[in-house]
Amino acid sequence: MRSIPTDLLRTFVTIIDVRGYTRAGERLGRTQPTISSQIRRLQDLLGVQLFSRDIKEAGGVYLTEEGEIVATYARRMLLLNDEMMLRISRRDTRGKLRLGIPSDYADHFMPKLMAGLTFEQAGFTFEVVCDLSYVLLKGLREGQFDIVVAMTADGPAESAFMTWREPLTWVGSSPEAALDDPLRIVSFPEGCVYRRSMLGALQREGRNFDLVYSSPSQSCIESAIANGFGVSVLAKRVLSDKVCQIGLDKSLPRLEDAVVGIYVSDRARSATQSFAARFADMFVSHNAED
């Protein structure tokens, strides 16, 4: 099957609309010989004669029966082409926002944050990736993201757009969850701030523990905890109703707060930076509410 270039179809339709080669050239910014050459090429590709007479003569243009058929399809094809290009250009104008966020934060905050977007803000095309914070920060440095929400253990990473402290807590299947010796630990994979804080606290107190379950999935972690497979550490404000904070009277080590930050790529456009500011405002308001 032959493919017909849309520029040839546009020239053909323009000739019909303005009734002549010369006027079509003026509208399209091309010379009359170029217009003639395009029509010859279109007729060669189609294998038909499009005009029934010399269209350079006075009196306008006259289409053959085949020309009428081609004109009908050409207008439909150009309409789809122009509609596609307009839609794509509008998406480029609005911008694609690549957001990296930990899975627990995505589950807890994204529904609220997206519901709070104005129509203008919702005009962004979103690509959301959930992963461990250190992976997201690495991706930001490598240009994979425009905005990253990430948790760190020893203060914010470099060039944070906004930060806040996030209290951590021990969680189990109930407030009175059994604390075996060694302590059965459910955890995210190596590199997770929750895991680092939890194991560091246990090691400082010389507490025996076994890592009995590890998963990158927030829902899998919560299911393991809820079914009594072990205990873990999570941020207080992102706990679901599947798990419970373990009572403060239990003999578990104290946990240091984590630091959560919003980070913006230094290559981000002004529209992305403006969205990051609104994004930060929404986090602040939800922090206050929670």
Side-chain angles (χ1 to χ4, degrees):
M1 297 294 292
R2 297 186 181 92
S3 296
I4 306 301
T6 55
D7 61 329
L8 302 185
L9 296 177
R10 196 177 302 279
T11 296
F12 174 54
V13 169
T14 303
I15 291 172
I16 299 171
D17 290 344
V18 302
R19 305 182 66 79
Y21 271 27
T22 302
R23 287 189 292 271
E26 292 171 351
R27 174 170 291 188
L28 296 173
R30 299 189 179 105
T31 64
Q32 192 271 346
T34 299
I35 296 294
S36 299
S37 175
Q38 287 185 312
I39 292 301
R40 286 195 298 271
R41 184 182 173 205
L42 179 59
Q43 291 181 144
D44 289 343
L45 287 171
L46 293 171
V48 298
Q49 186 71 27
L50 297 174
F51 295 103
S52 62
R53 58 172 294 173
D54 185 355
I55 64 172
K56 292 179 284 186
E57 292 182 359
V61 296
Y62 298 90
L63 296 172
T64 63
E65 183 178 347
E66 291 83 359
E68 294 283 359
I69 294 172
V70 173
T72 299
Y73 280 101
R75 293 187 189 278
R76 290 163 60 185
M77 293 166 69
L78 290 171
L79 179 63
L80 286 173
N81 177 84
D82 295 348
E83 184 179 292
M84 176 187 70
M85 295 305 298
L86 180 61
R87 186 169 182 180
I88 292 297
S89 66
R90 285 176 176 172
R91 288 167 69 93
D92 287 343
T93 298
R94 292 179 302 187
K96 180 178 181 179
L97 195 150
R98 301 166 300 167
L99 172 65
I101 186 169
S103 60
D104 54 340
Y105 261 65
D107 291 346
H108 185 78
F109 286 110
M110 287 305 293
K112 301 177 183 179
L113 295 174
M114 297 306 291
L117 293 178
T118 65
F119 176 78
E120 176 189 356
Q121 294 161 349
F124 279 91
T125 299
F126 286 90
E127 179 182 314
V128 181
V129 174
C130 296
D131 211 324
L132 297 178
S133 291
Y134 84 94
V135 176
L136 298 176
L137 288 171
K138 181 176 181 290
L140 182 72
R141 291 191 295 270
E142 295 174 352
Q144 298 173 17
F145 299 107
D146 301 306
I147 299 175
V148 159
V149 179
M151 183 178 290
T152 50
D154 302 321
E158 184 179 355
S159 302
F161 187 83
M162 180 189 118
T163 64
W164 63 92
R165 301 196 72 80
E166 192 70 78
L168 306 183
T169 185
W170 289 95
V171 293
S173 57
S174 72
E176 302 299 325
L179 303 179
D180 301 325
D181 188 14
L183 193 64
R184 294 172 58 85
I185 295 295
V186 174
S187 175
F188 285 97
E190 181 64 40
C192 172
V193 171
Y194 297 149
R195 176 181 176 128
R196 178 179 173 183
S197 177
M198 173 173 53
L199 300 188
L202 292 171
Q203 290 166 351
R204 283 193 299 272
E205 293 201 358
R207 186 73 177 268
N208 295 324
F209 61 88
D210 284 333
L211 281 168
V212 297
Y213 187 94
S214 178
S215 171
S217 166
Q218 174 80 4
S219 60
C220 289
I221 291 290
E222 291 180 343
S223 294
I225 297 170
N227 286 288
F229 212 67
V231 299
S232 191
V233 165
L234 296 172
K236 287 183 180 180
R237 292 188 309 109
V238 299
L239 299 182
S240 73
D241 55 9
K242 293 181 182 179
V243 299
C244 300
Q245 292 188 58
I246 296 177
L248 296 177
D249 59 335
K250 293 289 185 176
S251 56
L252 290 171
R254 184 178 66 85
L255 301 165
E256 297 291 338
D257 291 346
V259 176
V260 182
I262 296 177
Y263 302 86
V264 180
S265 169
D266 56 11
R267 294 180 290 274
R269 297 182 301 174
S270 59
T272 301
Q273 293 172 340
S274 177
F275 181 85
R278 293 192 288 265
F279 197 55
D281 288 341
M282 287 187 286
F283 260 112
V284 170
S285 64
H286 284 302
N287 286 353
E289 291 171 10
D290 293 336

